[in-house]
């Protein structure tokens, strides 16, 4: 939301479609600072042998440094026909030893349909204040009812109410329709506090590869990629050209 009191209205009036307004917006975009720093340093020689502990170390540092919402990540999926899509989700759990990440969603949502048809995905985090990007990609499995129950029942009443409104990403007839669904979901949560929506699913992405990118204000970026070793239980680690 803009802080200029006019919502998302164009900053210079008019309908926002003019060429000079496009240019002005582009000029402001180009002038906006990126990777201004100061940024933390990442010495690849200090990188552990496996990515899970490094992910935990970076998460810990993000929390300590007050990075806003470091648990928010982009999940990219692809449909059966290969069409990609991405959206942000909350990281619900981490298996540090196995470098696996948990997230929760409605199996009937478009992303749930993608994952049913093509159970592979990518996760991306970007923490601008630290110039850090983390990427993971690998196979995704849907955990069972116990995991779904524990995840769902640990949520706030508002989150559980939202979970029962269902129909994620389907066209909505108007705000009234959602109001009614919300009230019905609220009574359901109040009346049956132990109930879990049928589609609520915890997914586990087991990283096949994981990459850590430490940006540098002077553009001397550092990238380290881990790939599960084809010949054993460990990981292969390599530097990448920035
Ligand atoms: C900060 C934030 C966190 C979100 N966390 C989740 C989440 O954990 N699970 C989820 O299903 N959707 C979450 N959403 C909503 C998704 O981004 C998305 O809009 C929704 O799940 C529908 O995605 P789909 O149509 O690709 O299935 C979140 C949205 C935001 C802005």
């Amino acid at each position: 939301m803009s802080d200029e009191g006019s919502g998302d209205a164009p900053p210079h009036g008019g309908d926002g479609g003019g060429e000079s307004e496009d240019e002005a917006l582009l000029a402001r975009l180009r002038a906006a600072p990126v990777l201004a720093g100061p940024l933390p340093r990442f010495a690849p020689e200090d990188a552990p042998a496996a990515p899970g502990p490094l992910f935990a170390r970076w998460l810990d540092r993000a929390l300590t440094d007050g990075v806003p919402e470091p648990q928010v990540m982009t999940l990219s999926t692809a449909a059966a026909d290969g069409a990609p899509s991405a959206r942000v989700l909350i990281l619900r759990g981490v298996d540090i030893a196995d470098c696996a990440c948990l997230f929760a969603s409605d199996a009937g949502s478009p992303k749930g349909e993608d994952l049913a048809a093509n159970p592979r995905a990518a996760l991306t985090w970007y923490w601008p204040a630290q110039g850090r990007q983390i990427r993971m990609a690998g196979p995704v499995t849907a955990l069972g009812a116990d995991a779904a129950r524990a995840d769902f029942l640990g949520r706030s009443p508002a989150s559980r109410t939202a979970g029962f409104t269902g129909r994620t990403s389907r066209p909505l007839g108007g705000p009234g329709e959602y109001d009614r669904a919300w009230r019905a979901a609220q009574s359901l949560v109040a009346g049956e506090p132990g109930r879990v929506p049928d589609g609520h699913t915890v997914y586990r992405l087991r990283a096949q590869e994981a990459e850590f990118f430490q940006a540098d204000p002077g553009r001397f970026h550092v990238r380290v990629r881990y790939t599960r070793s084809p010949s054993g239980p460990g990981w292969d680690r390599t530097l990448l050209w920035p």
Side-chain angles (χ1 to χ4, degrees), residues 72 87-90 104-105 109-111 168-169:
V72 176
R87 75 294 287 157
V88 296
L89 260 70
I90 303 283
S105 196
S109 68
K111 78 181 86 51
T168 309
S169 300

Side-chain angles (χ1 to χ4, degrees), residues 27-229:
R28 287 170 61 215
L29 262 184
R30 289 197 178 127
V34 65
L35 303 179
L39 303 176
R41 292 186 60 75
F42 171 47
E45 55 276 16
D46 295 340
L54 185 55
F55 183 49
R57 194 190 293 174
W58 279 28
L59 267 179
D60 182 67
R61 172 82 190 260
L63 289 164
T64 302
D65 286 1
V67 166
E69 304 184 357
Q71 72 277 47
V72 176
M73 59 197 187
T74 299
L75 168 76
S76 303
T77 56
D81 65 1
S85 62
R87 75 294 287 157
V88 296
L89 260 70
I90 303 283
L91 173 65
R92 301 287 296 171
V94 188
D95 178 341
I96 293 169
D98 198 30
C99 198
C101 290
L102 303 184
F103 55 91
S105 196
D106 173 8
S109 68
K111 78 181 86 51
E113 289 174 352
D114 281 5
L115 290 169
N118 180 11
R120 291 178 298 157
L123 293 172
T124 314
W125 293 259
Y126 175 53
W127 302 327
Q130 297 183 326
R132 286 185 164 177
Q133 174 182 240
I134 304 168
R135 301 165 64 179
M136 294 187 195
V140 177
T141 48
L143 304 186
D146 288 350
R149 170 171 298 277
D151 179 85
F152 190 77
L153 298 182
R155 292 168 177 246
S156 67
S159 171
R160 281 183 283 141
T161 299
F164 271 109
T165 58
R167 284 168 280 175
T168 309
S169 300
R170 308 302 165 206
L172 176 67
E177 198 173 87
Y178 192 59
D179 279 351
R180 285 190 293 281
W182 184 271
R183 281 195 297 272
Q186 247 176 343
S187 347
L188 203 154
V189 167
E192 296 180 61
R195 190 156 153 194
V196 179
D198 289 343
H200 186 76
T201 304
V202 177
Y203 294 94
R204 182 179 194 272
L205 182 148
R206 183 172 190 255
Q208 177 63 29
E209 58 178 53
E211 185 208 311
F212 296 80
F213 183 122
Q214 175 62 67
D216 170 62
R219 306 306 190 254
F220 203 88
H221 309 312
V222 175
R223 295 176 67 191
V224 174
R225 184 174 63 201
Y226 294 83
T227 311
R228 278 189 200 273
S229 171

